[in-house]
Structures are given as C-alpha cells and as structure tokens.
Amino acid sequence: MTARTLDPDRIVVADEVADALGSGGPVVALESTIISHGLPRPDNRSIARRIEDAVREVGAVPATIAVVDGVARIGLDDGALGTIADSDDVLKVSRRDLATVVARRGHGATTVAATAHLAHLAGIDVFATGGLGGVHRGATETWDESADLTTLAETAITVVSAGVKSILDVAATLERLETLNVAVVGFGTDAFPGFYLSDSGFPVEWRVDDPAEVAEIMSARRALRIGSALLVANPLPEDRQVDPALHDRVLADGLAAAAAAGVRGKDTTPFLLAHFHDASDGESLRANVEIILANAALAARIAVAAAG
Ligand code: PSU
Ligand code: MN
C-alpha cells in the first residue's frame, strides 16, 4: 500500500518520506512515546533529532510518527516534533487509542504498538525503538502485558530493539513472543539483550551478523506470507551497558516505589524509566540514548539492505 491511498484528513505522510517510499528507497519508522514519556525534557527534543540523524547518516529517511492536532503524521516537521517533546497535552497513545485521539483532534505520542500499526499502513517495513514493551513483573496478578506484543503478532514489520525493557518479566515476555509468532533474531549475539543490560540471561535461538541476512529473512517472510513481526534484538556492547549491580539495585527500588505510589497500567513504564533516570545519576539515560541511536542506525542499515 502506498501513501496515496490514505485519508489525507487523518494521515499525512511527510513529502520526504512519501518520495522515498514511492521510489522504493530505504525508510525507518521511529516511535514518539520515547520522546514524550521515555526521555526527560528538555533534552528529549534534541535527542529525537539525533535519532533521525543516525538514520540519515546511513542513507535512509527517518519517519518519526505521532498524532498532532488529530492527524497521524508519518514524519514530523520541527513544529510537530516540538509539540510532542514539550507539550503537556500529549497523551501516550497505544493502538487502541489511535482513532479516539484522532477523532478528538488531540495530540498523541505513539507507542511501539501504535507506531507499528501506522508505519505498516504507510508501507514502511523497518522500525526502530529502544526497548520493546512486554509482560510486566507480577502480571499473573495484574494482567499487565504491553499491547506491543499482540500488535507485533499481527503486523508484518521488522522492529529493531535492545530486547525488551529489563523492568519487565523477560522470561514471560519471550514465551509470549513465541506464542504470538513474533520471530526473534539476535544481531551479533546468541544472548537476548536486556535493554540497559547487554545480556538478559536468556538465549536467542537465531543469530544474524549482517543486515543483508536480515533483509534475506524479510524477503522470505514476504514470500511465505508471514503476517507477524520480526524482532531484531540489538544489544549494547558489554562495556556500554549499565553496571548490573547498579541496575539491580535501582530496579528493586523503582519497583518498590511504584507499588508504594500505586502506579498502574500505562503509567508503569514511564514511571520506572523516570525512576531509573533519577536514581542512576544519569547512567540509565546515557545508556537509553546510546541504545536508541544504535538501533536507529542498525534499522537504517537493514532498510538500505532491504531496498537494494
Ligand atoms: N523504549 C524506550 N523508551 C520508551 C519506550 C520504549 O527506550 O519509553 C516506550 C515504547 O513506546 C513502548 C512503551 O511501546 O514504552 C511500552 O509501554 P507499555 O509497557 O505501557 O505498553
Ligand atoms: Mn500495560
């Protein structure tokens, strides 16, 4: 499907993105919840542009996705990005919320689930995020599982992520990814990454070492009509990860603070990320930025290989 078939009152593909898609050029979709709810102000805005620059440096076109004034935008100009980064009226929007925020003419920062949906609609095949959502700790009581997982079950897109966020129940998330037919490959690793940590402690069954191998798998998936997502798990190098002892201490404190404050549902992930950024003396923020920049660059290399 191309951009031309979309309802222009509700979905607008930026010219640069539409041109690239029209000519079969490489495009990388980027989510916006990380900008509005995952990274602290005021640096979130410049980091968002650095993420886009990381895609450009490899020769692909970035398409940051968000809802601004009720229009789903595939590619943000400076004004739209400023709104997402700075406005207090920006909601964290998952796939189920998309139509409502569009109908109400609101602003929404899209999660992995909502971004994957819109990217696929626009015809974008590759998407970069920091760390995927998944099954939260204590989910047997709370039933809190990110809609990222069920969306990736039914969206044919390639997502580059540093595994899943280490605030989650990684083992349960891996089981759900298997059940939901989401394919997982480790990029240059046999260990599933744990976001801030290079190794979550769980293995990954398939390893790739080259973007061309990912492009080959994407091509085979198309031929076989596989309608679910491919997750490319890209770890931080071990010497760039958050110190595991610091990580475990901050996480334990954060989980206790979340429970004490009664944090629930969609507020859980932003709360825990913000706790990390405050309590790790900037270490988690440093790692989070390095993760998303590396994932954007790898996604761009994959998009270039897939377009070639
Ligand atoms: N990765 C990051 N920072 C983030 C997120 C991912 O480095 O803020 C966001 C993504 O948008 C993801 C969301 O979809 O966290 C998951 O939220 P939840 O657990 O409520 O589904
Ligand atoms: Mn949730």
Side-chain angles (χ1 to χ4, degrees), residues 28-294:
V28 172
L30 299 165
E31 58 138 322
S32 48
T33 293
I34 185 171
I35 303 169
S36 63
H37 290 73
L39 297 168
R41 294 180 199 162
D43 294 343
N44 56 346
R45 187 175 178 155
S46 57
I47 294 168
R49 282 302 183 215
R50 283 170 61 200
I51 299 167
E52 294 192 341
D53 289 344
V55 171
R56 288 187 200 284
E57 275 160 25
V58 182
V61 173
T64 305
I65 294 179
V67 179
V68 181
D69 287 320
V71 178
R73 296 198 171 268
I74 318 296
L76 304 184
D77 60 19
D78 283 336
L81 183 71
T83 298
I84 295 301
D86 300 333
S87 169
D88 291 330
D89 301 330
V90 176
L91 302 171
K92 174 180 169 184
V93 166
S94 189
R95 188 168 59 140
R96 68 172 185 162
D97 309 306
L98 267 177
T100 311
V101 77
V102 166
R104 298 262 172 106
R105 299 268 159 213
H107 303 314
T110 49
T111 63
V112 169
T115 308
H117 176 81
L118 291 171
H120 184 64
L121 200 59
I124 301 173
D125 295 330
V126 184
F127 168 24
T129 182
L132 196 67
V135 180
H136 283 264
R137 291 161 195 251
T140 51
E141 295 276 312
T142 63
W143 293 71
D144 189 356
E145 172 183 325
S146 177
D148 291 357
L149 298 185
T150 48
T151 297
L152 294 188
E154 48 191 44
T155 309
I157 197 161
T158 296
V159 182
V160 179
S161 130
V164 299
K165 284 190 272 286
S166 48
I167 58 174
L168 300 168
D169 183 335
V170 179
T173 303
L174 284 168
E175 292 294 344
R176 290 291 289 150
L177 287 167
E178 180 179 353
T179 303
L180 293 167
N181 293 306
V182 177
V184 182
V185 298
F187 192 87
T189 184
D190 298 297
F192 190 68
F195 192 56
Y196 297 131
L197 305 176
S198 306
D199 180 349
S200 67
F202 296 90
V204 56
E205 261 178 78
W206 299 94
R207 173 184 177 135
V208 295
D209 289 287
D210 194 302
E213 285 179 75
V214 181
E216 191 61 38
I217 295 169
M218 289 166 65
S219 170
R221 289 164 57 82
R222 266 193 302 278
L224 297 167
R225 305 279 189 272
I226 304 292
S228 57
L230 168 65
L231 176 63
V232 178
N234 185 34
L236 269 183
E238 211 178 304
D239 60 354
R240 305 304 298 168
Q241 71 176 347
V242 174
D243 170 46
L246 172 69
H247 172 274
D248 293 354
R249 196 165 65 238
V250 173
L251 178 58
D253 289 350
L255 292 169
V263 176
R264 293 182 55 249
K266 68 194 278 188
D267 297 331
T268 304
T269 297
F271 179 93
L272 289 172
L273 293 179
H275 172 85
F276 257 95
H277 296 336
D278 292 341
S280 72
D281 226 357
E283 249 307 273
S284 72
L285 182 57
R286 181 216 35 97
N288 203 343
V289 172
E290 288 187 25
I291 285 167
I292 181 68
L293 292 176

